Amino acid sequence: MSTQLPVADATEVRTQAGLIMRRHRPRLTVALTLHALGALAGLAGPWLLGSLVDAVSTGTTRATIDRLAILLALALSAQTLLTWAARRTSFVLAETVFAELREQFLARVLALPLSTVERAGTGDLISRTTGDVDTLARTVRFAVPEVLVASITTVLTLGAALLAGPQVAVAALVGVPALWLGTRWYLHRAPAGYLWERAAYARLNGTVSETVDGARTVEALGLADERVRRSDEDLRDAYAAERRTLFLRTVWFPTMELAYALPVVATLLWGGYLVVRGDASLGQVTAVVLYMVQIVDPVDRLISWLDEIQVGATSLARLVGVGSVPDDRAPSGEMPVDDHISAHDVRYAYRSGRDVLHGVDLDLSPGERLAMVGPSGAGKSTLGRLLAGIHPPRTGRVEVGGVRLVDLPLEALRREVVLVTQEHHVFVGTLRDNLLLAAPGSSDTELRRALSAVDALRWAEALPAGLDTVLGAGGHALSPPQAQQVALARIVLADPHTLVLDEATALLDPRSARHIEQSLAAVLTGRTVVAIAHRLHTAHDADRVAVVEDGRISELGTHDQLVEAQGAYAALWRSWHGQPAEAGTASR
Ligand code: ADP
């Protein structure tokens, strides 16, 4: 099992890009047409100048020259207007496409199976949400329009040159080999070079900041020489990487300059020869040479943005890839017949071949309070997540009322069992919105009742706009205990009959713990509770205690039974007995 989220392959990325183009075909057509017309208007200049040269060299009237000058002015104005309209259309289109991509990505992320997110960790997801979305924004907003426009302009300019003077224009081909070979040579080597450079600087930054952060340790242990040596080494590497990329640029840039200058020189020489032989007019040569000067800009832009498109495609692959995670639940339509949760022969592995649960059986009686104790890493949290339906078991069944938890749609599952963690996120929106997430359609009276149940009604009503107070980033800031109470009120609203409670993470802030504990107790009342206990008094007060050791439930019974049985739990109890309960931890 991979812990990284998948990345889409090239075919999938092309399919997605094709779908986007098809969806926006009308506007794309308008944008491309406008760009083509703008480019065409820009091409009138050299043509008219060529005609002017021909007219002057063969003798002409002032009226003809005036006419040509007016046409030139008109063409320039038309080009300006058309380019403006074309850019506007393509920028609006790019923003639309980017917004769509972002929304699709968000939908994909929200549809990810919880188990995948838990396993992959949030780091990968966050780097895709920030880094890759930013890169894609740059590609969609700038690179794609620039490349499209530059391609159109290049092709049309070449066409115009061929039309203006076919024999003259062939000379321009001398620039192609230098352009082709130079760019190929550079693009083959550049990515590795720039990766090296980035990695070298990252390492150097790491070494320097580590040295500064650990300055006292460095001093105390006399590591200064070692740190200096390491910094020197990193610096040498960064220097070498810089030299490498500088070398690549010192070859590539002059090659490009040469490739741009060659066609101009060649058409001028070859054209001159043709004029002398009488095979071409001075005007034709003027036009083609001007086209060759003009084509430099779009070709240059084309080459410099192509790189960016590749980078963007990589990011798109990472964003699209998120959508290819298979769903880990398949709603069967069956509904639980009662509130009875049970696990049969449950095994689970985070990495294939490495089971962390080895055949766990557990029956929860509705309304009972079960405490799970055991050494750290024994599998308590894993079992808790399985009982809450977050991870599907590798083999075996976790059921509620005879239906597998993974066969329930998420909304239905959340009315059966909920995992209570420290994650008391406050979403941007009103307090009402924050509560309605758990039970859409609840009335204000129900919301108030839920707040009151967790002892939060008093401060909630004192908020500037009561339930309508906007919370979250930019809104009214809640204190951590208040945020936790909102999370607990959500549980009251969702009203699951069973809660899985990880004590270590559910009660974070010791200052507010007492207050929150009362709110929590109110939430637990009347529900089946599986508490992953880190304090022994939790186990003592529970109806039953399950000792989890090495992925198995090794002991299961009431506190008194287990103490009497003289097993692992009894030993734990003895070792902490007599000490204040809060001071001891049963599991660590
Ligand atoms: P406990 O809650 O009893 O401390 P856990 O259920 O957290 O134990 O862990 C059980 C085993 O599973 C441990 O060996 C732990 O290293 C492993 N484990 C827990 N979470 C993950 C994860 N996200 N990826 C890989 N291994 C994990």
Side-chain angles (χ1 to χ4, degrees):
M1 234 177 273
S2 149
T3 49
Q4 277 271 324
L5 294 167
V7 174
D9 60 11
T11 326
E12 176 65 22
V13 170
R14 260 197 303 269
T15 312
Q16 288 293 328
L19 278 177
I20 295 170
M21 294 228 193
R22 260 200 300 282
R23 213 173 19 244
H24 295 285
R25 189 175 283 157
R27 208 186 269 157
L28 189 63
T29 316
V30 172
L32 291 182
T33 313
L34 284 172
H35 276 301
L37 290 175
L40 278 178
L43 295 174
W47 193 286
L48 290 170
L49 283 175
S51 314
L52 198 61
V53 169
D54 272 347
V56 170
S57 52
T58 54
T60 181
T61 61
R62 166 171 278 213
T64 316
I65 292 178
D66 282 350
R67 196 166 43 85
L68 285 174
I70 289 171
L71 279 178
L72 198 61
L74 284 180
L76 273 177
S77 316
Q79 185 194 10
T80 311
L81 277 177
L82 285 166
T83 310
W84 174 79
R87 291 214 159 242
R88 193 176 181 286
T89 320
S90 38
F91 278 136
V92 171
L93 176 60
E95 287 299 331
T96 315
V97 168
F98 176 58
E100 249 178 45
L101 283 171
R102 204 156 43 174
E103 275 168 20
Q104 280 171 5
F105 174 63
L106 192 66
R108 285 191 191 110
V109 169
L110 293 180
L112 274 179
L114 287 174
S115 56
T116 308
V117 180
E118 289 262 326
R119 221 173 10 238
T122 41
D124 190 15
L125 208 50
I126 287 173
S127 90
R128 291 185 197 214
T129 322
T130 52
D132 289 310
V133 168
D134 283 349
T135 310
L136 195 64
R138 199 173 136 77
T139 308
V140 172
R141 286 178 173 154
F142 305 110
V144 173
E146 288 284 352
V147 165
L148 284 178
V149 175
S151 318
I152 295 177
T153 316
T154 307
V155 170
L156 288 178
T157 311
L158 262 184
L162 281 171
L163 221 62
Q167 301 141 289
V168 188
V170 288
L173 290 179
V174 296
V176 174
L179 196 67
W180 182 260
L181 292 175
T183 306
R184 253 184 71 117
W185 180 88
Y186 178 76
L187 289 185
H188 252 82
R189 289 160 179 77
Y194 286 106
L195 276 182
W196 177 17
E197 200 178 286
R198 230 177 304 162
Y201 275 109
R203 225 172 7 249
L204 181 62
N205 283 339
T207 306
V208 171
S209 54
E210 258 171 35
T211 309
V212 173
D213 284 347
R216 282 173 198 285
T217 318
V218 169
E219 217 167 55
L221 301 180
L223 296 175
D225 288 343
E226 153 68 14
R227 297 308 294 183
V228 169
R229 191 191 55 73
R230 190 177 291 189
S231 300
D232 283 348
E233 216 169 79
D234 291 344
L235 210 53
R236 263 195 298 277
D237 192 44
Y239 179 75
E242 281 269 18
R243 279 194 66 126
R244 167 72 184 163
T245 55
L246 186 64
F247 163 71
L248 295 178
R249 289 193 297 272
T250 51
V251 173
W252 191 49
F253 287 172
T255 315
M256 296 313 282
E257 291 298 327
L258 186 72
Y260 296 151
L262 267 181
V264 179
V265 176
T267 39
L268 208 51
L269 286 176
W270 175 242
Y273 171 71
L274 290 178
V275 169
V276 171
R277 280 182 40 147
D279 288 336
S281 75
L282 208 53
Q284 282 180 316
V285 178
T286 311
V288 174
V289 170
L290 286 178
Y291 283 136
M292 286 309 115
V293 172
Q294 226 175 36
I295 209 171
V296 168
D297 177 55
V299 170
D300 199 43
R301 273 189 291 156
L302 193 61
I303 289 170
S304 52
W305 284 105
L306 269 182
D307 206 25
E308 194 83 23
I309 295 242
Q310 268 181 346
V311 178
T314 317
S315 287
L316 185 59
R318 284 163 56 80
L319 297 187
V320 170
V322 172
S324 65
V325 176
D327 207 348
D328 63 354
R329 50 187 69 244
S332 62
E334 266 182 277
M335 279 306 166
V337 292
D338 59 24
D339 297 348
H340 178 191
I341 291 196
S342 62
H344 305 289
D345 194 25
V346 161
R347 287 161 208 277
Y348 186 79
Y350 288 97
R351 293 190 189 84
S352 59
R354 295 253 293 277
D355 276 2
V356 296
L357 293 180
H358 311 279
V360 173
D361 289 298
L362 187 62
D363 259 309
L364 297 175
S365 323
E368 84 162 322
R369 192 158 298 198
L370 177 91
M372 274 203 267
V373 299
S376 176
K380 301 182 296 295
S381 306
T382 308
L383 182 56
R385 290 200 200 107
L386 257 67
L387 290 172
I390 289 178
H391 297 312
R394 183 177 68 74
T395 63
R397 295 166 72 87
V398 182
E399 299 177 335
V400 55
V403 182
R404 290 193 307 181
L405 293 184
V406 286
D407 287 342
L408 288 173
L410 270 185
E411 316 80 68
L413 175 65
R414 292 293 157 255
R415 287 195 295 273
E416 309 287 336
V417 49
V418 163
L419 178 73
V420 185
T421 66
Q422 77 192 44
E423 277 172 28
H424 42 257
H425 189 73
V426 177
F427 295 89
V428 175
T430 61
L431 175 58
R432 181 183 291 105
D433 294 338
N434 265 283
L435 294 170
L436 284 177
L437 284 174
S442 305
S443 69
D444 280 7
T445 320
E446 286 167 311
L447 300 187
R448 289 213 174 79
R449 206 177 303 140
L451 285 170
S452 157
V454 297
D455 199 18
L457 190 58
R458 215 154 358 113
W459 63 254
E461 295 205 312
L463 288 176
L467 285 176
D468 291 312
T469 310
V470 176
L471 307 176
H476 183 91
L478 292 186
S479 69
Q482 287 175 335
Q484 211 154 31
Q485 282 177 325
V486 170
L488 290 173
R490 274 193 213 121
I491 295 175
V492 173
L493 284 165
D495 198 20
H497 53 72
T498 301
L499 293 176
V500 177
L501 175 72
D502 199 329
E503 276 194 344
T505 59
L507 298 175
L508 241 206
D509 190 351
R511 279 166 303 150
S512 58
R514 261 214 96 59
H515 189 62
I516 290 294
E517 215 155 340
Q518 287 165 7
S519 308
L520 184 63
V523 174
L524 301 186
T525 311
R527 304 179 206 274
T528 315
V529 177
V530 177
I532 298 166
H534 293 271
R535 290 166 305 178
L536 217 55
H537 76 102
T538 308
H540 179 251
D541 296 344
D543 297 321
R544 282 197 297 167
V545 179
V547 181
V548 181
E549 284 177 302
D550 206 11
R552 289 185 181 81
I553 293 184
S554 56
E555 293 176 26
L556 182 65
T558 64
H559 168 80
D560 292 338
Q561 285 169 347
L562 294 190
V563 168
E564 213 161 280
Q566 293 295 321
Y569 180 75
L572 263 181
W573 180 250
R574 264 200 314 278
S575 69
W576 290 110
H577 195 58
Q579 300 185 20
E582 266 91 352
T585 22
S587 66
R588 284 168 207 262

